[in-house]
Amino acid sequence: MSTRRRHRGFTLLELVLVLLVLAIALAVAAPSFRGFWSGLQGRDAAFQIVSLTRWARAQAAADGRIYRLNFDVAQRRYWLTVQEGEQFVELKTDLGRPVLLPDGIELELVVESVDAPRDYIEFRPNGRTQAATIRLIEQGRQPIEIVCRSPTEQFELLRQPGGA
């Protein structure tokens, strides 16, 4: 009788074949993952804008001052300012620094106003704001809309990527 034990395991050839199959599967799936991540960037940017509008509205009521969410459509960025006297100045916090949208996402702002077109949304101490629609547009995707339908409502995410 032989006392020799047989060691079980994988050969080098078997391991190489498994790695080859995994590499091919990842190469096939990679283009769809790229679209998945860009969709997440648009959704995250929309959630950030909604959060900023809610913070500005609450802060305007708490401070008794007018806050503005400013947009630079050409540069694809937005930031908050607060009224001091007759002027609007940058906030002295991170919320006042300009936020640049991710690459490939364009910005559109439609403010319901009787005045000339505006590049900002005001949040007043009485809790009112301007009815507006903010659109984040990604090429090849349906726009993400952030909407405030009336001066007494909050901004909400109207459409999320993936239909959620």
Side-chain angles (χ1 to χ4, degrees), residues 74-139:
Q75 297 293 318
R76 301 178 9 259
R77 61 188 188 128
Y78 58 93
W79 68 97
L80 276 176
T81 55
V82 62
Q83 187 175 25
E84 286 186 6
E86 297 292 319
Q87 296 182 344
F88 283 85
V89 297
E90 290 181 12
L91 295 179
K92 306 291 190 249
T93 68
D94 284 343
L95 295 174
R97 68 178 171 75
V99 177
L100 183 63
L101 289 171
D103 288 337
I105 299 177
E106 298 298 320
L107 178 66
E108 183 180 292
L109 175 66
V110 179
V111 178
E112 305 293 327
S113 174
V114 294
D115 300 28
R118 292 189 175 168
D119 57 354
Y120 60 85
I121 299 168
E122 280 191 350
F123 300 89
R124 300 192 164 272
N126 61 5
R128 296 174 71 85
T129 188
Q130 295 166 303
T133 300
I134 304 163
R135 284 188 194 90
L136 301 181
I137 305 163
E138 293 180 82
Q139 186 174 4

Side-chain angles (χ1 to χ4, degrees), residues 24-34:
I24 291 170
L26 285 174
V28 168
S32 63
F33 284 133
R34 196 173 320 128

Side-chain angles (χ1 to χ4, degrees), residues 46-47 49-54 56-57 69 71 109-112 120-123 128-135 145-158:
F47 283 134
I49 291 172
V50 169
S51 297
L52 204 54
T53 63
R54 292 186 178 167
R57 183 177 181 169
L69 179 55
F71 294 91
L109 175 66
V110 179
V111 178
E112 305 293 327
Y120 60 85
I121 299 168
E122 280 191 350
F123 300 89
R128 296 174 71 85
T129 188
Q130 295 166 303
T133 300
I134 304 163
R135 284 188 194 90
E145 291 189 341
I146 305 162
V147 178
C148 177
R149 292 182 181 95
S150 75
T152 58
E153 293 183 39
Q154 289 189 348
F155 280 85
E156 63 181 352
L157 195 54
L158 191 61

